[in-house]
Amino acid sequence: MSDNIQIETSWKDQLKNEFNQDYFAHIKQFIINEKAKGKEVYPPGKLMFNAFNLTPFEQVKVVIIGQDPYHGMGQAHGLSFSVPLGVKTPPSLQNIYKEIEQDLGFPIPNHGNLSNWAQQGVLLLNAVLSVNAGEPASHKAAGWENFTNAVIYHLSKKRQNLVFILWGRFAHEKELLIDANKHLILKAAHPSPFSAYQGFMGCKHFSKTNAYLQSCNLKTIDWQIM
């Protein structure tokens, strides 16, 4: 089955065993079944592995974990928290921008496309990689977390000095997959309007990430979105 997966070569090599697992066949069948019911599935198939295609395995420096894709028309493009150009910036991302402004002084951009972060080594990873239109968490039972947990585990085991940014209780659960002796783990509340002022605002995760990367003699991330 792995031959049919359109994913960047280094990731295909790292995850080749996952593509041949029963759970991955179940994911594929789950999506086929949802479409057969007349459901519209986001993001489009060609963008489902966009985070991996923009950020090859050896280029990952930072991992930002989201829950599942945006479920509004045209919002999801395979990157956690990000939306394509021309799509209104969602509330959680607006709060991320406010925190960057407070932390680093960068102005709030007029769009929500985070592809520039991805191209610098920020893996924008949703735990679930697909969703039905208008139905948040509708693919939670598909089996995606088996796959994305394997992604986190492989990164933790085979790489050094990564920064894992975990926002919200759901993301905090992924801490168990990460070797804290080899990597920096940053945790805070979710940037959603419901929780942003319960520990996300003021977390300074962006400056802390760059301070850690610099301490490891690694190139820092330019968090400014132009």
Side-chain angles (χ1 to χ4, degrees):
M1 181 185 288
S2 60
D3 292 341
N4 300 324
I5 304 298
Q6 300 301 309
I7 191 170
E8 192 272 333
T9 307
S10 66
W11 283 108
K12 182 175 277 194
D13 183 55
Q14 291 293 329
L15 301 170
K16 55 182 180 291
N17 292 334
E18 302 302 317
F19 297 125
N20 296 314
Q21 299 290 327
D22 289 344
Y23 81 77
F24 203 87
H26 180 266
I27 294 171
K28 196 171 181 181
Q29 192 59 49
F30 182 96
I31 293 172
I32 290 169
N33 292 346
E34 292 300 288
K35 289 181 176 179
K37 295 176 192 172
K39 303 283 188 179
E40 187 165 4
V41 174
Y42 298 144
K46 66 181 180 179
L47 293 176
M48 215 160 274
F49 295 107
N50 197 23
F52 305 93
N53 295 334
L54 290 180
T55 315
F57 183 80
E58 294 296 339
Q59 293 179 24
V60 176
K61 295 179 180 178
V62 181
V63 183
I64 298 180
I65 298 174
Q67 195 155 350
D68 67 340
Y70 295 120
H71 53 86
M73 183 183 295
Q75 288 184 304
H77 68 145
L79 305 177
S80 63
F81 295 102
S82 178
V83 292
L85 292 173
V87 176
K88 184 180 178 182
T89 304
S92 291
L93 183 53
Q94 290 176 15
N95 284 332
I96 290 170
Y97 285 162
K98 288 177 187 175
E99 174 58 23
I100 291 173
E101 182 182 43
Q102 289 181 21
D103 188 10
L104 298 171
F106 295 147
I108 293 175
N110 60 7
H111 68 85
N113 190 326
L114 304 180
S115 296
N116 181 52
W117 289 1
Q119 290 161 351
Q120 295 180 72
V122 181
L123 181 67
L124 296 164
L125 179 69
N126 278 319
V128 176
L129 300 187
S130 58
V131 70
N132 288 343
E135 298 177 32
S138 49
H139 288 204
K140 186 167 171 53
W144 276 122
E145 285 187 73
N146 293 304
F147 178 74
T148 54
N149 283 352
V151 169
I152 297 166
Y153 175 78
H154 277 269
L155 284 167
S156 175
K157 184 177 181 181
K158 298 180 181 178
R159 297 289 314 281
Q160 296 268 1
N161 304 131
L162 301 182
V163 181
F164 289 86
I165 296 179
L166 312 179
W167 293 328
R169 192 179 307 155
F170 178 86
H172 293 176
E173 294 172 359
K174 306 301 180 184
E175 184 175 8
L176 297 172
L177 301 166
I178 304 163
D179 185 345
N181 294 315
K182 295 170 60 182
H183 307 287
L184 177 65
I185 300 171
L186 296 175
K187 299 190 329 188
H190 195 278
S192 157
F194 299 107
S195 56
Y197 289 92
Q198 296 171 17
F200 173 76
M201 302 306 295
C203 69
K204 298 189 180 298
H205 280 181
F206 305 97
S207 60
K208 288 177 180 177
T209 292
N210 278 350
Y212 177 78
L213 293 174
Q214 196 165 29
S215 74
C216 298
N217 295 314
L218 296 169
K219 187 176 180 182
T220 57
I221 304 298
D222 180 2
W223 295 108
Q224 185 169 11
I225 298 291
M226 303 300 288

